[in-house]
């Protein structure tokens, strides 16, 4: 149980375009979803927290207009990187937690974004 | 005060050895301490977690030791195998912050055959 999927696993886009990453909880209802960014050989950096039906809460220094997060249902959250630039290239990972064990976060497999 | 400090940064052990990874925290409001395992190009996977009312927890070959007074906790991997080679992250969270995880810096473990 507690499976989280992400799509796509890899994406390459041109500078100035937008790209959407989906995060789905497959076998539980995710009341809270988290989005992280990870640079090579570095730890995970929390970008934002989203609760179903509410606006996302962004961490300090994360541009909310650049990284649009939507959590429209209990099984789906999306991260849209708008007007992407090469410096946005990174590994983006989502995680989800449910009501029964709100502490336990289950992570998706990650999405490798490359902006050319 | 929100930081979690993890050491060592990297660790090499022989097969069968017992690697130990340490983490320290400052904020006594943290009340959940998980460990995650991450393979290259994959998302982290929850290994084992502990609450501060317990001093030790074992799951299979993985053991967490927790020292509340010292504000430290550690992961021990018994009978380590080459397949355990991965990056390990400790983390801490508190309920009144919606379970937001604060991660340690990570430890790259290599288990030699």
């Amino acid at each position: 149980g507690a499976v989280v999927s992400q799509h796509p696993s890899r994406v390459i886009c041109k500078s100035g375009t937008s790209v959407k990453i989906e995060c789905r909880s497959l076998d539980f209802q995710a009341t809270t979803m988290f989005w992280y960014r990870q640079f090579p050989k570095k730890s995970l950096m929390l970008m934002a927290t989203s609760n179903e039906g509410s606006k996302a809460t962004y961490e300090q220094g994360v541009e909310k207009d650049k990284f649009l997060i939507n959590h429209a249902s209990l099984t789906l959250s999306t991260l849209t990187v708008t007007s992407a630039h090469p410096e946005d290239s990174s590994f983006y990972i989502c995680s989800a937690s449910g009501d029964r064990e709100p502490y336990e976060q289950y992570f998706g497999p990650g999405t490798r974004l490359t902006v050319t | 005060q929100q930081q979690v400090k993890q050491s060592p940064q990297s660790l090499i052990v022989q097969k069968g050895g017992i690697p130990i990874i340490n983490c320290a925290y400052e904020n006594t409001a943290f009340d959940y301490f998980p460990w995650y395992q991450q393979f290259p190009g994959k998302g982290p996977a929850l290994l084992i977690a502990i609450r501060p009312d317990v001093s030790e927890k074992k799951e299979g070959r993985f053991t967490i030791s927790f020292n509340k007074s010292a504000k430290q906790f550690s992961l021990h991997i018994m009978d380590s195998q080459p397949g355990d080679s991965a990056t390990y992250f400790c983390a801490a969270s508190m309920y009144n912050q919606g379970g937001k995880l604060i991660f340690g810096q990570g430890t790259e473990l290599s288990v030699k055959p």
Side-chain angles (χ1 to χ4, degrees):
Chain A
V3 178
V4 176
S5 70
Q6 273 183 250
H7 178 79
S9 57
R10 289 179 175 273
V11 58
I12 301 172
C13 71
K14 291 188 186 297
S15 189
T17 62
S18 295
V19 61
K20 182 186 285 188
I21 302 169
E22 290 186 350
C23 176
R24 293 183 186 271
S25 57
L26 298 185
D27 52 3
F28 69 104
Q29 294 192 320
T31 49
T32 307
M33 285 186 166
F34 304 84
W35 286 94
Y36 295 84
R37 185 173 179 175
Q38 187 178 33
F39 291 104
K41 295 194 179 291
K42 296 291 184 185
S43 190
L44 286 80
M45 183 189 80
L46 180 65
M47 299 173 66
T49 303
S50 74
N51 292 294
E52 185 262 339
S54 303
K55 284 188 180 177
T57 303
Y58 290 82
E59 294 298 301
Q60 196 172 5
V62 177
E63 297 175 61
K64 57 182 70 174
D65 294 331
K66 179 164 193 59
F67 298 100
L68 300 179
I69 291 170
N70 184 277
H71 190 168
S73 78
L74 283 171
T75 58
L76 174 64
S77 176
T78 58
L79 167 67
T80 301
V81 183
T82 63
S83 186
H85 287 95
E87 56 266 28
D88 299 324
S89 299
S90 192
F91 193 50
Y92 292 88
I93 312 172
C94 72
S95 71
S97 63
D99 265 346
R100 273 200 289 178
E101 287 287 351
Y103 281 103
E104 292 191 4
Q105 285 187 35
Y106 298 94
F107 284 80
T111 296
R112 172 74 59 194
L113 170 63
T114 304
V115 185
T116 60
Chain B
Q1 220 192 6
Q2 287 284 77
Q3 281 188 327
V4 176
K5 294 184 179 177
Q6 184 173 345
S7 63
Q9 190 174 349
S10 62
L11 188 53
I12 300 172
V13 299
Q14 291 295 127
K15 178 182 170 183
I18 306 177
I20 300 173
I21 305 170
N22 301 297
C23 286
Y25 63 98
E26 288 296 322
N27 192 340
T28 55
F30 286 136
D31 53 10
Y32 177 71
F33 302 89
W35 284 89
Y36 288 87
Q37 178 190 57
Q38 185 179 31
F39 293 103
K42 305 293 182 185
L46 177 65
L47 265 181
I48 184 172
I50 199 167
R51 303 279 169 91
D53 52 345
V54 176
S55 61
E56 186 177 278
K57 183 175 180 180
K58 286 184 184 181
E59 282 186 9
R61 295 185 294 110
F62 301 96
T63 299
I64 300 179
S65 297
F66 187 84
N67 185 329
K68 189 174 181 178
S69 60
K71 293 185 281 187
Q72 294 175 349
F73 58 110
S74 59
L75 176 70
H76 302 228
I77 305 175
M78 306 302 175
D79 187 27
S80 59
Q81 302 295 313
D84 296 328
S85 298
T87 300
Y88 292 82
F89 292 96
C90 64
S93 71
M94 59 185 93
Y95 186 76
N96 65 3
Q97 286 201 354
K100 185 168 78 171
L101 287 170
I102 308 298
F103 279 90
Q105 294 82 1
T107 297
E108 194 171 353
L109 172 66
S110 178
V111 181
K112 299 296 186 187

